[in-house]
Amino acid sequence: MQILDKIKMQRKEADDRPPQLPISWVEISNSVSHEYQFQPDGKLSVKMVDDSRPAAQRMVESFLNKFFPSGYPYSVNEGYMRYTQFRALQHFTSAALSVLSTQSLLFAAGLRPTPAQATAVSWILRDGMQHVGKLICSNLGARMDSEPKRWRILADVLYDLGTGLEVMSPLCPHLFLEVAGLGNFAKGMAVVAARATRLPIYSSFAKEGNLSDLFAKGEAISTLFNVLGLGTGIHLASTICSSMQGKLVVAPLLSFIHVYSVCEEMRAAPVNTLNPQRTAMIVADFVKTEKISSPADLRYREDLLFPGRLIEDAGKVKVGRSLHEVVRPSKLQQFKETFPEEKFLLNHGSRWTDMILEHNATGEDALRGWLVAAYASDMERLVPEPSTNTLQEAYDKMNCVFSPFLAELQAKGWHTDRFLDGTGNRFAF
């Protein structure tokens, strides 16, 4: 009985205790006061108490929260703002051009559409041709991974080519079907190429595993300026561009701004994957200065139109040729025995050095081969009569510097787990 009485007394004391008050505190940051409160059930609630920021500042910060990744600018890599500015301009001009081109198509077909009708039909025509473009571009994915900037620019050139054909279609209404079909075919391929290269570009800006946030905010900006561009296109179609002469003046101007914007976008993107051009530039800088360039250092030095040029300071290495084109069958065993533990073959010629990679070679393997070729080329320039063991001497030198070289390369933000040669020509014994 005594035990039961004690239990009853404890329960009565617990019931008589006053209810526990929730724990709360106020935090003030950038003139904004928030009250944080832990509820009795353990949940945290946040309530704004006071906001003394000017109205203009509140609007700017609201815009940044909606259209820029969380934590901007510390959550993205260098160049994101410039990329975003020109991306917005690109989508603005692209949307305006689409209205003008569709209006021209309908005029060429014998219709007299309103600008609003042109805007609606533009979506139907564009979406219909994407399926054909996907089939044509389906075998180019590896090349797009290797050179996303180049293919992104090519996509917009194709888009403007298709748009130009549509704008000029009223000049030859008897060829309406041919001109409209070719124009939309080019635009369909452009859409596929642009979408395929979007992820590598966004990935280059991701700094804290926030790729989804970057993608979502980037698409929000694209949508906003597409809408503004459509509105501008409707206004132009109703005024200046209501005649063919007006379209022939405004359309080339919009097209020029469009291509210029995408070129500046791509120049601002610090792509951090290894392809032949970026690898050659890294190796050339290291051999000359013993310093390693970051993706941001190389972005404005990349050749976006002709990325296949050979760099002398990097050993004039050419990657991607087939094994049977580079090595004679009688000398294949000799090449295998030169570097038996490596996943690359080097054929050091008078004009350039061919490097062929094994099917499972990584970016690190490509870097090793590239360094050997660069050191061998450097030795030949410095020594009037190079020895027959030049490649072996270059290989030994590469082994001495490779571990710290690779560590610093990865610290700079480069991804060395893959080498994107884009051609698919590799070998396996």
Side-chain angles (χ1 to χ4, degrees):
M1 291 296 294
Q2 293 179 354
I3 296 175
L4 290 175
D5 291 338
K6 288 182 179 179
I7 294 175
K8 290 179 181 179
M9 289 292 293
Q10 290 174 355
R11 287 180 179 175
K12 186 176 181 182
E13 290 176 357
D15 294 338
D16 293 340
R17 289 175 190 167
Q20 186 177 0
L21 296 176
I23 301 173
S24 64
W25 69 94
V26 176
E27 292 186 6
I28 303 173
S29 175
N30 296 327
S31 303
V32 182
S33 301
H34 289 93
E35 181 183 0
Y36 295 82
Q37 187 174 35
F38 276 114
Q39 302 297 337
D41 58 0
K43 294 182 179 180
L44 177 67
S45 63
V46 183
K47 182 175 65 174
M48 182 183 293
V49 179
D50 181 43
D51 187 353
S52 58
R53 295 175 299 171
Q57 184 181 351
R58 286 201 296 262
M59 291 176 62
V60 169
E61 292 187 5
S62 176
F63 178 85
L64 290 176
N65 290 335
K66 288 181 173 61
F67 294 102
F68 284 81
S70 299
Y72 175 85
Y74 306 105
S75 60
V76 296
N77 284 320
E78 184 179 345
Y80 183 74
M81 174 56 80
R82 184 172 178 83
Y83 168 82
T84 302
Q85 290 170 341
F86 282 102
R87 180 172 173 80
L89 183 58
Q90 171 217 336
H91 280 277
F92 179 83
T93 52
S94 173
L97 269 172
S98 70
V99 176
L100 302 183
S101 64
T102 305
Q103 187 189 46
S104 296
L105 276 177
L106 297 179
F107 272 123
L111 303 175
R112 292 296 179 266
T114 65
Q117 290 172 329
T119 305
V121 176
S122 67
W123 291 96
I124 300 171
L125 292 175
R126 186 183 68 174
D127 291 343
M129 291 305 298
Q130 285 180 13
H131 303 293
V132 180
K134 286 178 182 178
L135 295 175
I136 300 298
C137 294
S138 61
N139 63 336
L140 300 175
R143 296 179 185 272
M144 294 179 189
D145 279 333
S146 177
E147 293 289 349
K149 295 184 178 184
R150 182 191 185 196
W151 282 94
R152 186 66 182 86
I153 293 173
L154 179 61
D156 283 86
V157 171
L158 278 172
Y159 183 90
D160 285 359
L161 177 63
T163 302
L165 288 172
E166 293 176 349
V167 168
M168 292 188 295
S169 59
L171 300 177
C172 46
H174 57 290
L175 297 174
F176 169 76
L177 185 59
E178 291 82 354
V179 173
L182 186 60
N184 279 281
F185 177 75
K187 289 170 70 175
M189 290 185 65
V191 168
V192 174
R195 289 181 175 178
T197 56
R198 191 177 302 167
L199 191 59
I201 301 300
Y202 277 133
S203 299
S204 68
F205 289 108
K207 195 174 182 179
E208 300 176 351
N210 56 344
L211 181 58
S212 296
D213 191 21
L214 270 169
F215 192 88
K217 298 300 173 57
E219 294 308 293
I221 289 177
S222 301
T223 302
L224 172 64
F225 282 89
N226 270 326
V227 171
L228 294 176
L230 287 172
T232 303
I234 292 173
H235 177 71
L236 290 173
S238 305
T239 53
I240 302 173
C241 299
S242 58
S243 65
M244 192 63 203
Q245 291 81 358
K247 287 188 180 68
L248 293 177
V249 172
V250 174
L253 178 61
L254 290 174
S255 180
F256 172 79
I257 297 174
H258 182 217
V259 174
Y260 172 77
S261 298
V262 77
C263 288
E264 290 300 313
E265 278 180 63
M266 296 303 103
R267 283 166 57 82
V271 176
N272 53 7
T273 53
L274 294 178
N275 69 352
Q277 181 180 196
R278 288 188 286 275
T279 304
M281 294 168 70
I282 292 169
V283 170
D285 289 348
F286 181 73
V287 171
K288 284 193 299 183
T289 65
E290 296 187 355
K291 294 181 180 179
I292 295 176
S293 302
S294 67
D297 295 332
L298 294 186
R299 55 187 172 150
Y300 286 110
R301 293 165 49 195
E302 287 187 71
D303 190 338
L304 301 182
L305 297 180
F306 304 102
R309 63 185 178 89
L310 301 179
I311 299 177
E312 184 175 355
D313 291 324
K316 290 187 176 180
V317 176
K318 184 178 287 189
V319 184
R321 296 180 70 195
S322 300
L323 183 63
H324 68 273
E325 295 177 350
V326 176
V327 182
R328 294 179 182 177
S330 59
K331 293 188 175 182
L332 182 57
Q333 188 64 29
Q334 177 185 342
F335 277 95
K336 286 176 59 180
E337 293 174 353
T338 306
F339 309 120
E341 303 298 325
E342 299 295 343
K343 296 182 179 180
F344 60 83
L345 297 178
L346 288 178
N347 183 13
H348 191 56
S350 57
R351 297 174 58 192
W352 64 73
T353 299
D354 280 296
M355 182 168 68
I356 311 103
L357 298 170
E358 281 193 21
H359 68 96
N360 60 345
T362 65
E364 295 180 19
D365 298 309
L367 286 165
R368 292 174 69 86
W370 222 296
L371 277 172
V372 172
Y375 281 137
S377 178
D378 194 46
M379 291 175 184
E380 289 182 350
R381 285 197 302 268
L382 297 175
V383 181
E385 296 181 2
S387 66
T388 55
N389 294 326
T390 301
L391 275 180
Q392 186 60 49
E393 293 173 8
Y395 181 73
D396 294 338
K397 187 175 181 180
M398 178 274 296
N399 277 328
C400 292
V401 303
F402 189 75
S403 293
F405 166 78
L406 181 64
E408 188 175 351
L409 194 74
Q410 293 171 341
K412 292 278 188 178
W414 292 101
H415 294 304
T416 60
D417 55 332
R418 292 182 302 160
F419 181 72
L420 305 173
D421 49 3
T423 60
N425 289 331
R426 298 197 177 191
F427 72 91
F429 292 118

PDB file of all heavy atoms in Angstrom, residues 320-339:
ATOM      1  N   GLY A 320      42.617  10.609 -79.813  1.00  0.00           N
ATOM      2  CA  GLY A 320      41.385  10.184 -80.454  1.00  0.00           C
ATOM      3  C   GLY A 320      41.545   9.428 -81.753  1.00  0.00           C
ATOM      4  O   GLY A 320      40.562   8.895 -82.267  1.00  0.00           O
ATOM      5  N   ARG A 321      42.758   9.382 -82.307  1.00  0.00           N
ATOM      6  CA  ARG A 321      42.935   8.615 -83.531  1.00  0.00           C
ATOM      7  C   ARG A 321      42.881   7.119 -83.218  1.00  0.00           C
ATOM      8  O   ARG A 321      43.229   6.663 -82.133  1.00  0.00           O
ATOM      9  CB  ARG A 321      44.267   8.971 -84.200  1.00  0.00           C
ATOM     10  CG  ARG A 321      44.348  10.418 -84.661  1.00  0.00           C
ATOM     11  CD  ARG A 321      45.701  10.705 -85.308  1.00  0.00           C
ATOM     12  NE  ARG A 321      45.833  10.026 -86.582  1.00  0.00           N
ATOM     13  CZ  ARG A 321      46.994   9.868 -87.228  1.00  0.00           C
ATOM     14  NH1 ARG A 321      48.115  10.322 -86.675  1.00  0.00           N
ATOM     15  NH2 ARG A 321      47.033   9.251 -88.384  1.00  0.00           N
ATOM     16  N   SER A 322      42.485   6.338 -84.218  1.00  0.00           N
ATOM     17  CA  SER A 322      42.379   4.895 -84.022  1.00  0.00           C
ATOM     18  C   SER A 322      43.765   4.270 -83.899  1.00  0.00           C
ATOM     19  O   SER A 322      44.745   4.770 -84.464  1.00  0.00           O
ATOM     20  CB  SER A 322      41.630   4.259 -85.188  1.00  0.00           C
ATOM     21  OG  SER A 322      40.323   4.789 -85.299  1.00  0.00           O
ATOM     22  N   LEU A 323      43.831   3.164 -83.182  1.00  0.00           N
ATOM     23  CA  LEU A 323      45.108   2.486 -82.953  1.00  0.00           C
ATOM     24  C   LEU A 323      45.755   2.055 -84.261  1.00  0.00           C
ATOM     25  O   LEU A 323      46.972   2.199 -84.450  1.00  0.00           O
ATOM     26  CB  LEU A 323      44.891   1.284 -82.030  1.00  0.00           C
ATOM     27  CG  LEU A 323      46.143   0.500 -81.620  1.00  0.00           C
ATOM     28  CD1 LEU A 323      47.090   1.376 -80.820  1.00  0.00           C
ATOM     29  CD2 LEU A 323      45.762  -0.739 -80.818  1.00  0.00           C
ATOM     30  N   HIS A 324      44.947   1.534 -85.208  1.00  0.00           N
ATOM     31  CA  HIS A 324      45.522   1.039 -86.463  1.00  0.00           C
ATOM     32  C   HIS A 324      46.047   2.175 -87.342  1.00  0.00           C
ATOM     33  O   HIS A 324      46.858   1.943 -88.233  1.00  0.00           O
ATOM     34  CB  HIS A 324      44.493   0.210 -87.228  1.00  0.00           C
ATOM     35  CG  HIS A 324      43.343   1.025 -87.764  1.00  0.00           C
ATOM     36  ND1 HIS A 324      42.219   1.294 -87.022  1.00  0.00           N
ATOM     37  CD2 HIS A 324      43.157   1.633 -88.963  1.00  0.00           C
ATOM     38  CE1 HIS A 324      41.384   2.026 -87.737  1.00  0.00           C
ATOM     39  NE2 HIS A 324      41.928   2.246 -88.916  1.00  0.00           N
ATOM     40  N   GLU A 325      45.581   3.415 -87.092  1.00  0.00           N
ATOM     41  CA  GLU A 325      46.091   4.557 -87.852  1.00  0.00           C
ATOM     42  C   GLU A 325      47.412   5.065 -87.296  1.00  0.00           C
ATOM     43  O   GLU A 325      48.173   5.725 -88.003  1.00  0.00           O
ATOM     44  CB  GLU A 325      45.066   5.701 -87.826  1.00  0.00           C
ATOM     45  CG  GLU A 325      43.749   5.392 -88.521  1.00  0.00           C
ATOM     46  CD  GLU A 325      42.769   6.533 -88.385  1.00  0.00           C
ATOM     47  OE1 GLU A 325      43.042   7.464 -87.601  1.00  0.00           O
ATOM     48  OE2 GLU A 325      41.722   6.504 -89.056  1.00  0.00           O
ATOM     49  N   VAL A 326      47.691   4.779 -86.045  1.00  0.00           N
ATOM     50  CA  VAL A 326      48.856   5.345 -85.360  1.00  0.00           C
ATOM     51  C   VAL A 326      50.018   4.363 -85.297  1.00  0.00           C
ATOM     52  O   VAL A 326      51.179   4.746 -85.490  1.00  0.00           O
ATOM     53  CB  VAL A 326      48.459   5.794 -83.936  1.00  0.00           C
ATOM     54  CG1 VAL A 326      49.667   6.299 -83.161  1.00  0.00           C
ATOM     55  CG2 VAL A 326      47.379   6.865 -84.002  1.00  0.00           C
ATOM     56  N   VAL A 327      49.715   3.095 -85.030  1.00  0.00           N
ATOM     57  CA  VAL A 327      50.760   2.097 -84.786  1.00  0.00           C
ATOM     58  C   VAL A 327      50.688   1.003 -85.841  1.00  0.00           C
ATOM     59  O   VAL A 327      49.614   0.454 -86.108  1.00  0.00           O
ATOM     60  CB  VAL A 327      50.603   1.486 -83.370  1.00  0.00           C
ATOM     61  CG1 VAL A 327      51.716   0.475 -83.103  1.00  0.00           C
ATOM     62  CG2 VAL A 327      50.611   2.574 -82.315  1.00  0.00           C
ATOM     63  N   ARG A 328      51.828   0.701 -86.418  1.00  0.00           N
ATOM     64  CA  ARG A 328      51.908  -0.432 -87.339  1.00  0.00           C
ATOM     65  C   ARG A 328      51.807  -1.733 -86.549  1.00  0.00           C
ATOM     66  O   ARG A 328      52.358  -1.839 -85.439  1.00  0.00           O
ATOM     67  CB  ARG A 328      53.221  -0.406 -88.111  1.00  0.00           C
ATOM     68  CG  ARG A 328      53.354   0.775 -89.061  1.00  0.00           C
ATOM     69  CD  ARG A 328      54.701   0.729 -89.754  1.00  0.00           C
ATOM     70  NE  ARG A 328      54.869   1.875 -90.644  1.00  0.00           N
ATOM     71  CZ  ARG A 328      55.968   2.116 -91.336  1.00  0.00           C
ATOM     72  NH1 ARG A 328      57.018   1.294 -91.228  1.00  0.00           N
ATOM     73  NH2 ARG A 328      56.052   3.171 -92.122  1.00  0.00           N
ATOM     74  N   PRO A 329      51.151  -2.742 -87.110  1.00  0.00           N
ATOM     75  CA  PRO A 329      51.028  -4.014 -86.371  1.00  0.00           C
ATOM     76  C   PRO A 329      52.362  -4.608 -85.967  1.00  0.00           C
ATOM     77  O   PRO A 329      52.487  -5.208 -84.897  1.00  0.00           O
ATOM     78  CB  PRO A 329      50.293  -4.915 -87.374  1.00  0.00           C
ATOM     79  CG  PRO A 329      49.547  -3.969 -88.260  1.00  0.00           C
ATOM     80  CD  PRO A 329      50.401  -2.741 -88.368  1.00  0.00           C
ATOM     81  N   SER A 330      53.402  -4.420 -86.801  1.00  0.00           N
ATOM     82  CA  SER A 330      54.707  -4.997 -86.488  1.00  0.00           C
ATOM     83  C   SER A 330      55.369  -4.333 -85.283  1.00  0.00           C
ATOM     84  O   SER A 330      56.236  -4.932 -84.642  1.00  0.00           O
ATOM     85  CB  SER A 330      55.633  -4.882 -87.705  1.00  0.00           C
ATOM     86  OG  SER A 330      55.783  -3.510 -88.085  1.00  0.00           O
ATOM     87  N   LYS A 331      54.972  -3.103 -84.957  1.00  0.00           N
ATOM     88  CA  LYS A 331      55.589  -2.375 -83.846  1.00  0.00           C
ATOM     89  C   LYS A 331      54.682  -2.271 -82.622  1.00  0.00           C
ATOM     90  O   LYS A 331      55.012  -1.582 -81.661  1.00  0.00           O
ATOM     91  CB  LYS A 331      55.976  -0.971 -84.297  1.00  0.00           C
ATOM     92  CG  LYS A 331      57.086  -0.945 -85.337  1.00  0.00           C
ATOM     93  CD  LYS A 331      57.557   0.480 -85.596  1.00  0.00           C
ATOM     94  CE  LYS A 331      58.739   0.504 -86.548  1.00  0.00           C
ATOM     95  NZ  LYS A 331      59.242   1.879 -86.783  1.00  0.00           N
ATOM     96  N   LEU A 332      53.548  -2.954 -82.665  1.00  0.00           N
ATOM     97  CA  LEU A 332      52.600  -2.836 -81.564  1.00  0.00           C
ATOM     98  C   LEU A 332      53.192  -3.355 -80.254  1.00  0.00           C
ATOM     99  O   LEU A 332      53.046  -2.728 -79.201  1.00  0.00           O
ATOM    100  CB  LEU A 332      51.311  -3.594 -81.906  1.00  0.00           C
ATOM    101  CG  LEU A 332      50.192  -3.516 -80.873  1.00  0.00           C
ATOM    102  CD1 LEU A 332      49.802  -2.068 -80.602  1.00  0.00           C
ATOM    103  CD2 LEU A 332      48.978  -4.317 -81.333  1.00  0.00           C
ATOM    104  N   GLN A 333      53.887  -4.508 -80.323  1.00  0.00           N
ATOM    105  CA  GLN A 333      54.481  -5.070 -79.118  1.00  0.00           C
ATOM    106  C   GLN A 333      55.531  -4.133 -78.525  1.00  0.00           C
ATOM    107  O   GLN A 333      55.638  -3.977 -77.300  1.00  0.00           O
ATOM    108  CB  GLN A 333      55.110  -6.426 -79.439  1.00  0.00           C
ATOM    109  CG  GLN A 333      55.597  -7.195 -78.219  1.00  0.00           C
ATOM    110  CD  GLN A 333      54.459  -7.574 -77.275  1.00  0.00           C
ATOM    111  OE1 GLN A 333      53.329  -7.768 -77.702  1.00  0.00           O
ATOM    112  NE2 GLN A 333      54.759  -7.653 -75.985  1.00  0.00           N
ATOM    113  N   GLN A 334      56.291  -3.468 -79.390  1.00  0.00           N
ATOM    114  CA  GLN A 334      57.306  -2.520 -78.921  1.00  0.00           C
ATOM    115  C   GLN A 334      56.671  -1.353 -78.180  1.00  0.00           C
ATOM    116  O   GLN A 334      57.170  -0.922 -77.130  1.00  0.00           O
ATOM    117  CB  GLN A 334      58.114  -2.023 -80.122  1.00  0.00           C
ATOM    118  CG  GLN A 334      59.154  -0.969 -79.771  1.00  0.00           C
ATOM    119  CD  GLN A 334      59.838  -0.409 -81.005  1.00  0.00           C
ATOM    120  OE1 GLN A 334      59.799  -1.009 -82.075  1.00  0.00           O
ATOM    121  NE2 GLN A 334      60.469   0.750 -80.847  1.00  0.00           N
ATOM    122  N   PHE A 335      55.558  -0.848 -78.691  1.00  0.00           N
ATOM    123  CA  PHE A 335      54.866   0.256 -78.022  1.00  0.00           C
ATOM    124  C   PHE A 335      54.295  -0.194 -76.683  1.00  0.00           C
ATOM    125  O   PHE A 335      54.306   0.569 -75.704  1.00  0.00           O
ATOM    126  CB  PHE A 335      53.747   0.793 -78.914  1.00  0.00           C
ATOM    127  CG  PHE A 335      54.216   1.784 -79.940  1.00  0.00           C
ATOM    128  CD1 PHE A 335      54.531   1.380 -81.230  1.00  0.00           C
ATOM    129  CD2 PHE A 335      54.369   3.124 -79.616  1.00  0.00           C
ATOM    130  CE1 PHE A 335      54.966   2.297 -82.173  1.00  0.00           C
ATOM    131  CE2 PHE A 335      54.808   4.043 -80.556  1.00  0.00           C
ATOM    132  CZ  PHE A 335      55.112   3.623 -81.839  1.00  0.00           C
ATOM    133  N   LYS A 336      53.809  -1.429 -76.619  1.00  0.00           N
ATOM    134  CA  LYS A 336      53.248  -1.929 -75.364  1.00  0.00           C
ATOM    135  C   LYS A 336      54.326  -2.047 -74.296  1.00  0.00           C
ATOM    136  O   LYS A 336      54.073  -1.806 -73.116  1.00  0.00           O
ATOM    137  CB  LYS A 336      52.597  -3.298 -75.587  1.00  0.00           C
ATOM    138  CG  LYS A 336      51.269  -3.250 -76.318  1.00  0.00           C
ATOM    139  CD  LYS A 336      50.732  -4.636 -76.589  1.00  0.00           C
ATOM    140  CE  LYS A 336      50.526  -5.406 -75.303  1.00  0.00           C
ATOM    141  NZ  LYS A 336      49.995  -6.774 -75.550  1.00  0.00           N
ATOM    142  N   GLU A 337      55.529  -2.405 -74.695  1.00  0.00           N
ATOM    143  CA  GLU A 337      56.605  -2.615 -73.734  1.00  0.00           C
ATOM    144  C   GLU A 337      57.263  -1.317 -73.283  1.00  0.00           C
ATOM    145  O   GLU A 337      58.024  -1.319 -72.319  1.00  0.00           O
ATOM    146  CB  GLU A 337      57.655  -3.543 -74.349  1.00  0.00           C
ATOM    147  CG  GLU A 337      57.146  -4.961 -74.563  1.00  0.00           C
ATOM    148  CD  GLU A 337      58.142  -5.823 -75.313  1.00  0.00           C
ATOM    149  OE1 GLU A 337      59.170  -5.257 -75.781  1.00  0.00           O
ATOM    150  OE2 GLU A 337      57.890  -7.030 -75.457  1.00  0.00           O
ATOM    151  N   THR A 338      56.978  -0.191 -73.967  1.00  0.00           N
ATOM    152  CA  THR A 338      57.597   1.083 -73.576  1.00  0.00           C
ATOM    153  C   THR A 338      57.144   1.499 -72.188  1.00  0.00           C
ATOM    154  O   THR A 338      57.956   1.836 -71.319  1.00  0.00           O
ATOM    155  CB  THR A 338      57.258   2.179 -74.600  1.00  0.00           C
ATOM    156  OG1 THR A 338      57.612   1.738 -75.910  1.00  0.00           O
ATOM    157  CG2 THR A 338      58.002   3.468 -74.280  1.00  0.00           C
ATOM    158  N   PHE A 339      55.824   1.489 -71.964  1.00  0.00           N
ATOM    159  CA  PHE A 339      55.263   1.811 -70.650  1.00  0.00           C
ATOM    160  C   PHE A 339      54.271   0.704 -70.293  1.00  0.00           C
ATOM    161  O   PHE A 339      53.052   0.878 -70.406  1.00  0.00           O
ATOM    162  CB  PHE A 339      54.550   3.170 -70.656  1.00  0.00           C
ATOM    163  CG  PHE A 339      55.379   4.288 -71.223  1.00  0.00           C
ATOM    164  CD1 PHE A 339      54.947   4.998 -72.336  1.00  0.00           C
ATOM    165  CD2 PHE A 339      56.585   4.632 -70.651  1.00  0.00           C
ATOM    166  CE1 PHE A 339      55.691   6.029 -72.862  1.00  0.00           C
ATOM    167  CE2 PHE A 339      57.355   5.661 -71.178  1.00  0.00           C
ATOM    168  CZ  PHE A 339      56.911   6.362 -72.281  1.00  0.00           C
TER     169      PHE A 339
END
